[in-house]
Amino acid sequence: MLFSTKNKITLESLILDSSVPIFYKLSSDKKFKTNEAFDRFFGKNRIKVLDSITENSRLQKSSINLKVKDELDREIDSIAYVTEMEDNIFGVIIDISDQIKAKESIHKLKEKYEIASKATDEGLWDWDIIKKEANFSSKFKKVLSAPNIKPMIDSWIEKIDPRDKKEVLEKLDSYLNRKIDSFKVDHRVNLNGKTKWVTISGKATFDKNNKPIRMTGFIKDITDIKNAQIALKESQRKFALFMQNLPAGAFIKDDKGRFIFTNQYLNKLFDKESLEGLSFDDILPKENLEKIKDSDKTVLEHGFDQMENKIRTKDGKELYFSINKFIINKDNKNYIGGIYSDITAQKKVQDKLNKLAHYDTLTSLPNRTMFHNSLNVMISRANRNKTKLALMFIDLDNFKTINDTLGHDYGDLLLQEVAKRLKGVLRTEDMVSRLGGDEFTVILDDIKDISYPSVVAKKIIDTLSTPIKLKDEMGYIGASVGISIFPNDTSDIEQLIKNADLAMYKAKHDGKNVYRYFTEDMTAEASEKLDLTNALRDSIENSELKLYYQPIIDTKENKIKTVEAFIRWEHQKFGTITPEIFIPLAEEGGFMVKIGKYILKEACKQIKEFENSGIDIKVAINISSKQLTQNHLEQTIKSIVKDTQIDPKHLELEVTENFLMDDIEATDETIKNLKEFGVETTIDDFGTGYSSLSRLKKLSISKLKIDNSFIDDIPQDKDDIVITKTIISLAKQLNLEVVAEGVETKEQAKFLQENGCYLMQGYLFSGTISQEKILEVIKKYS
């Protein structure tokens, strides 16, 4: 017998004293009994619980899940464990409410995680450091493109890019050893030959000895973000590099006018390590500040402004800047940004071009254009003020002899000295100009007595009669001066000029080195001019007009490409007369077209001679404004080309820049038709006229000739170098050939070749050659 009476008493004592709710029924009992712990736990609900147990115990289950109420009527989840031994039934009730709640919490947490993990792009990882096992969520596997990843932390570590592995592991080690407070790191992973950026973070659990036992965290794909960050940093790096090396000043100012950003160029310009925190008040003279502040107001009102500013550097240089300003709006605040562009070189070129347009390049005196403009202004003022002025025409005596015998260099030096001496004898309000060649004019403003000009004329004659030192030679010249008085002689400006010109010719006729006032009886002088004009009319019939030629050399191929034709009048009485003298007479007399046609015929005859000799060379002839504007120039050229039976490609026309611009539409139509016929056109003396680029590019021209005034001072004159380079570059951009006139030195030729100009004309290669000898020279040169 398993249980004796004594044993039953002992067992029952144990049951009654237990702190666990126990119910039992011994073989001798008819009903279940309960211990004190059971009664205390269930209180008034004791019988109901026992009934429930009794009912369920009939199912003979070893454990019964019950929902019962305790003494406070709280419903609890419990399990009744029941066992039967030799007709004795024993049972224990265990409260499992907390366990169920924990399971429910875990289930809910799991549900929330699943919902969250589906909605987020982060993957979860859990690392049991003790067991050396790791669990990875599906998102984690997706981030690493590893659906079959092994449950080991090394599975992640193996995919870390070698470039980042050391840093990541050192950071992880530092965190697990409590050297740093958190673990989060960006790194690259290598996935099937591709690189991806991820950010991984985690939080560890430590035991009481501060040893890590578990670590849980997240992983996220940040490839797009990282690439964007890298691109942004690279963009910022390039922008910073660009701004610091920009060959212009850049700045941003706040609403107080203080710099909040300046680049290296601007700092250096104002000789500062940094301009930040300063304003223009701190670095510029007061006279410049008002203009800048007015400009700032314009920017704030209209959003943009442009101004020019002159700055004197620490070493005394004057620099010119174009400042473009614009408004910058950030965080509802207006800032002013700006760019300082150095326009010193352009300013110099502009001044040079302006000077070329209004001043003589050799003497720096006002030229013909400025003379006419100034005379108009001074006559208008004299009219208003009822005052007089005198106009003086000065022609140098013996200049041509010096120029021809000693050369152009000596002639140029003489003209420069003449300009100095003329300015030396005049008042500041008077004006001296060079019209061209050896012709000068003087305007004496506001004269009180008409005898005063004679005093000035004597001074001019005296100063110019004094020998002039020219290098190793002495120049001896004189001056013939003509004087016309406004309004005594005339109130018409053109007539005033003619009167002074007539008076000058009278002085020259009367023995030179004297002055003459204009008088009415000077019609005899005009008669002489008329005689010369009449003689010119017969010059063609008398075979007095001759063509001379000057070669244009292709220095790359070292051969003659073109010869330019020059007309000379070989008069029986007056000797050789240059075009500068008789062409104006021909144009005024109305028979320039006849002379032009003669030149064209003679040039075509020369071309035919070249062609018969097997020589492939062009002949260029100069077309005057009268010829260019005549209606039948195109027909005349075609007719002469047909009559002489030449190839039209061997004929070339040269037209000066100003003539082209007069009637550009009609002119271009003629040039275009001739080009289609085979005759090309060149712009002669380019750079001295007033053509605009927008109009120039519309013309059907083939070639530009750089005026010799730009070549003369190369390589000494930096401005001439800039202008010449610009013209060569312009020609290339317009797909035009470019020829340099007046090349006289090897240095000039070398400079031109280095800058892409290979066609040259000048005394370095050849002077003008007579019609009888040109064929011989070409063959010899070849």
Side-chain angles (χ1 to χ4, degrees):
M1 182 180 239
L2 180 63
F3 295 105
S4 64
T5 303
K6 183 179 180 180
N7 286 339
K8 287 182 179 178
I9 295 171
T10 303
L11 178 61
E12 192 169 6
S13 299
L14 289 172
I15 290 171
L16 294 173
D17 293 337
S18 175
S19 60
V20 177
I22 297 175
F23 60 93
Y24 64 95
K25 185 168 70 170
L26 302 178
S27 57
S28 58
D29 297 327
K30 292 182 180 182
K31 293 183 180 180
F32 277 104
K33 296 180 180 180
T34 58
N35 67 355
E36 187 178 348
F38 187 101
D39 297 341
R40 187 170 56 252
F41 187 80
F42 292 106
K44 63 184 179 180
N45 292 314
R46 170 179 170 276
I47 301 300
K48 289 181 180 179
V49 173
L50 279 175
D51 288 344
S52 180
I53 292 170
T54 302
E55 183 181 347
N56 282 283
S57 66
R58 296 192 186 103
L59 299 176
Q60 297 182 348
K61 292 181 180 179
S62 61
S63 63
I64 305 167
N65 289 317
L66 296 172
K67 279 192 177 288
V68 294
K69 292 184 178 180
D70 63 8
E71 77 278 9
L72 298 176
D73 286 335
R74 291 177 301 187
E75 191 172 70
I76 60 173
D77 292 289
S78 64
I79 295 178
Y81 293 97
V82 182
T83 185
E84 185 175 349
M85 292 182 293
E86 296 182 358
D87 296 329
N88 298 294
I89 300 172
F90 301 94
V92 179
I93 291 184
I94 305 298
D95 184 353
I96 61 169
S97 298
D98 291 340
Q99 293 176 14
I100 290 176
K101 287 179 182 178
K103 284 182 180 179
E104 288 176 350
S105 297
I106 290 171
H107 181 70
K108 289 180 181 179
L109 184 62
K110 184 178 179 181
E111 284 183 341
K112 289 180 180 179
Y113 169 72
E114 287 177 352
I115 293 170
S117 64
K118 289 178 181 178
T120 184
D121 55 358
E122 293 183 340
L124 179 68
W125 58 279
D126 180 46
W127 178 25
D128 189 326
I129 299 173
I130 304 300
K131 293 182 179 180
K132 299 182 179 179
E133 294 177 353
N135 290 312
F136 305 111
S137 71
S138 58
K139 263 292 170 43
F140 187 100
K141 297 173 183 179
K142 186 176 180 181
V143 169
L144 293 187
S145 302
N148 300 317
I149 190 170
K150 294 179 181 179
M152 300 167 56
I153 201 68
D154 288 346
S155 301
W156 158 61
I157 294 173
E158 288 170 359
K159 293 186 178 294
I160 300 175
D161 190 289
R163 292 171 288 183
D164 301 332
K165 186 173 289 187
K166 183 180 178 183
E167 179 190 353
V168 174
L169 295 181
E170 284 179 353
K171 206 161 193 178
L172 179 61
D173 185 67
S174 295
Y175 174 66
L176 294 176
N177 286 291
R178 292 295 185 103
K179 293 180 181 178
I180 56 177
D181 295 331
S182 62
F183 173 74
K184 185 175 183 180
V185 63
D186 297 346
H187 68 82
R188 286 160 286 192
V189 290
N190 293 325
L191 310 173
N192 303 321
K194 294 182 180 179
T195 300
K196 184 185 285 188
W197 275 96
V198 300
T199 183
I200 191 160
S201 60
K203 187 172 182 63
T205 304
F206 298 88
D207 63 15
K208 60 182 180 179
N209 296 318
N210 273 334
K211 296 295 183 182
I213 57 176
R214 195 177 202 89
M215 190 168 181
T216 304
F218 295 92
I219 192 169
K220 182 179 181 181
D221 184 342
I222 59 167
T223 304
D224 292 341
I225 297 172
K226 202 70 177 180
N227 288 341
Q229 289 175 344
I230 292 171
L232 179 61
K233 285 182 180 179
E234 179 63 14
S235 176
Q236 290 172 338
R237 186 191 68 80
K238 288 180 179 178
F239 178 74
L241 189 66
F242 169 77
M243 289 303 296
Q244 290 305 328
N245 291 277
L246 183 71
F251 69 84
I252 299 175
K253 298 192 299 184
D254 63 15
D255 56 354
K256 300 286 193 303
R258 294 174 304 220
F259 294 113
I260 60 173
F261 166 79
T262 54
N263 69 345
Q264 184 176 330
Y265 183 98
L266 202 67
N267 295 337
K268 189 175 179 182
L269 176 65
F270 289 106
D271 194 32
K272 300 284 185 182
E273 285 293 324
S274 173
L275 292 171
E276 292 184 19
L278 301 177
S279 68
F280 276 120
D281 291 2
D282 303 312
I283 57 177
L284 286 179
K286 289 183 179 179
E287 56 267 24
N288 290 351
L289 296 177
E290 186 175 349
K291 185 178 179 182
I292 287 177
K293 289 177 180 178
D294 288 342
S295 175
D296 287 351
K297 289 179 182 177
T298 302
V299 175
L300 294 173
E301 289 175 5
H302 303 288
F304 180 84
D305 190 39
Q306 192 273 336
M307 62 176 290
E308 287 187 8
N309 197 15
K310 182 174 73 174
I311 294 174
R312 186 179 294 276
T313 61
K314 190 177 181 182
D315 54 2
K317 289 182 180 178
E318 282 190 347
L319 300 177
Y320 292 86
F321 288 88
S322 174
I323 310 172
N324 290 286
K325 297 182 184 179
F326 46 89
I327 200 163
I328 300 172
N329 186 277
K330 181 174 172 55
D331 300 329
N332 295 322
K333 286 186 178 181
N334 287 330
Y335 300 86
I336 295 178
I339 300 290
Y340 263 71
S341 302
D342 189 343
I343 58 169
T344 306
Q346 297 95 304
K347 199 77 173 176
K348 287 183 178 179
V349 171
Q350 183 181 347
D351 291 343
K352 179 75 173 179
L353 291 173
N354 184 58
K355 191 173 182 181
L356 286 171
H358 296 92
Y359 290 86
D360 174 52
T361 55
L362 179 64
T363 62
S364 297
L365 293 177
N367 62 11
R368 185 183 296 271
T369 301
M370 192 168 181
F371 158 71
H372 279 279
N373 293 341
S374 300
L375 184 59
N376 269 307
V377 171
M378 295 168 89
I379 283 181
S380 297
R381 186 167 60 234
N383 260 326
R384 289 195 305 271
N385 298 336
K386 306 299 181 185
T387 56
K388 303 179 188 295
L389 65 79
L391 175 61
M392 308 172 74
F393 263 50
I394 305 166
D395 188 81
L396 303 183
D397 302 327
N398 202 39
F399 173 74
K400 187 176 184 301
T401 302
I402 293 175
N403 208 37
D404 291 345
T405 55
L406 298 180
H408 292 294
D409 287 348
Y410 287 88
D412 289 348
L413 288 173
L414 187 142
L415 291 173
Q416 289 170 342
E417 181 60 27
V418 167
K420 289 180 184 177
R421 294 188 181 187
L422 288 176
K423 288 191 289 186
V425 300
L426 298 177
R427 303 170 300 176
T428 54
E429 63 264 35
D430 299 331
M431 177 180 172
V432 57
S433 308
R434 183 190 175 209
L435 301 188
D438 59 347
E439 290 186 335
F440 295 83
T441 60
V442 170
I443 305 174
L444 302 178
D445 193 24
D446 190 17
I447 60 172
K448 308 300 182 187
D449 189 335
I450 60 171
S451 64
Y452 174 70
S454 63
V455 176
V456 178
K458 288 177 183 176
K459 289 181 180 180
I460 290 173
I461 292 169
D462 289 344
T463 189
L464 296 184
S465 297
T466 305
I468 298 174
K469 178 72 174 176
L470 303 172
K471 297 182 182 178
D472 52 347
E473 299 285 347
M474 296 298 294
Y476 297 91
I477 61 168
S480 299
V481 182
I483 305 169
S484 180
I485 307 296
F486 173 89
N488 296 35
D489 295 330
T490 180
S491 58
D492 180 76
I493 184 170
E494 293 301 325
Q495 191 59 49
L496 186 72
I497 293 172
K498 289 181 181 178
N499 290 349
D501 196 24
L502 282 173
M504 183 270 294
Y505 274 109
K506 175 63 176 173
K508 192 172 284 292
H509 185 267
D510 287 351
K512 302 180 181 180
N513 212 30
V514 295
Y515 69 88
R516 292 290 182 266
Y517 279 87
F518 169 78
T519 60
E520 293 294 336
D521 60 2
M522 287 182 179
T523 51
E525 296 287 343
S527 178
E528 182 179 339
K529 182 179 178 181
L530 182 60
D531 291 341
L532 193 61
T533 302
N534 291 335
L536 183 58
R537 290 179 187 275
D538 301 326
S539 60
I540 296 176
E541 288 74 13
N542 296 334
S543 301
E544 295 174 344
L545 296 180
K546 305 289 183 181
L547 287 187
Y548 285 74
Y549 299 92
Q550 186 177 31
I552 296 173
I553 310 297
D554 185 337
T555 58
K556 184 182 284 188
E557 298 179 8
N558 195 31
K559 68 178 184 180
I560 299 174
K561 299 286 284 189
T562 308
V563 291
E564 182 179 359
F566 295 92
I567 189 74
R568 297 287 185 269
W569 181 14
E570 296 180 355
H571 195 276
Q572 295 179 358
K573 178 180 178 182
F574 299 112
T576 300
I577 303 174
T578 61
E580 288 80 10
I581 294 176
F582 70 83
I583 292 297
L585 294 178
E587 289 181 338
E588 289 176 15
F591 50 93
M592 186 62 228
V593 173
K594 180 180 177 182
I595 292 178
K597 190 173 181 179
Y598 171 80
I599 295 171
L600 183 59
K601 281 183 177 180
E602 290 299 304
C604 288
K605 288 178 184 178
Q606 185 64 66
I607 291 171
K608 190 62 181 176
E609 186 177 354
F610 288 159
E611 291 177 351
N612 291 338
S613 302
I615 298 173
D616 183 17
I617 286 181
K618 289 186 176 186
V619 173
I621 63 170
N622 290 280
I623 300 297
S624 72
S625 59
K626 296 290 184 182
Q627 289 175 280
L628 189 63
T629 54
Q630 65 172 308
N631 296 328
H632 53 277
L633 174 64
E634 181 184 338
Q635 289 73 23
T636 300
I637 291 175
K638 290 180 177 179
S639 176
I640 293 174
V641 167
K642 183 178 179 181
D643 291 344
T644 53
Q645 297 183 336
I646 67 165
D647 189 336
K649 74 175 185 179
H650 289 134
L651 179 63
E652 187 175 288
L653 309 181
E654 291 192 5
V655 185
T656 58
E657 191 175 357
N658 283 342
F659 292 159
L660 276 175
M661 295 300 119
D662 287 340
D663 186 358
I664 193 166
E665 287 77 19
T667 299
D668 188 50
E669 185 178 356
T670 301
I671 292 174
K672 188 182 295 182
N673 292 339
L674 287 172
K675 186 174 185 179
E676 292 175 357
F677 179 63
V679 178
E680 296 190 332
T681 303
T682 297
I683 293 186
D684 195 16
D685 302 332
F686 184 77
T688 61
Y690 303 93
S691 62
S692 68
L693 297 182
S694 61
R695 300 175 72 188
L696 179 63
K697 68 181 182 181
K698 296 178 182 178
L699 292 170
S700 304
I701 57 172
S702 304
K703 191 182 297 181
L704 298 180
K705 293 186 77 173
I706 305 173
D707 187 71
N708 60 2
S709 63
F710 300 116
I711 307 298
D712 288 344
D713 294 326
I714 290 176
Q716 292 81 15
D717 191 315
K718 292 182 179 179
D719 292 337
D720 281 344
I721 287 176
V722 172
I723 292 170
T724 303
K725 282 184 178 180
T726 302
I727 294 174
I728 294 172
S729 175
L730 172 65
K732 289 180 179 178
Q733 292 178 37
L734 295 176
N735 294 317
L736 302 176
E737 287 187 290
V738 60
V739 180
E741 294 179 315
V743 181
E744 297 184 355
T745 68
K746 291 181 180 179
E747 290 79 6
Q748 292 168 348
K750 181 181 178 183
F751 164 82
L752 292 165
Q753 286 178 320
E754 288 174 348
N755 286 277
C757 176
Y758 300 99
L759 297 178
M760 303 182 201
Q761 181 180 16
Y763 283 99
L764 178 63
F765 307 100
S766 173
T768 53
I769 302 164
S770 67
Q771 195 168 1
E772 293 77 15
K773 294 182 179 181
I774 185 61
L775 190 61
E776 177 184 340
V777 171
I778 291 173
K779 289 180 178 179
K780 185 177 179 181
Y781 195 94
S782 300

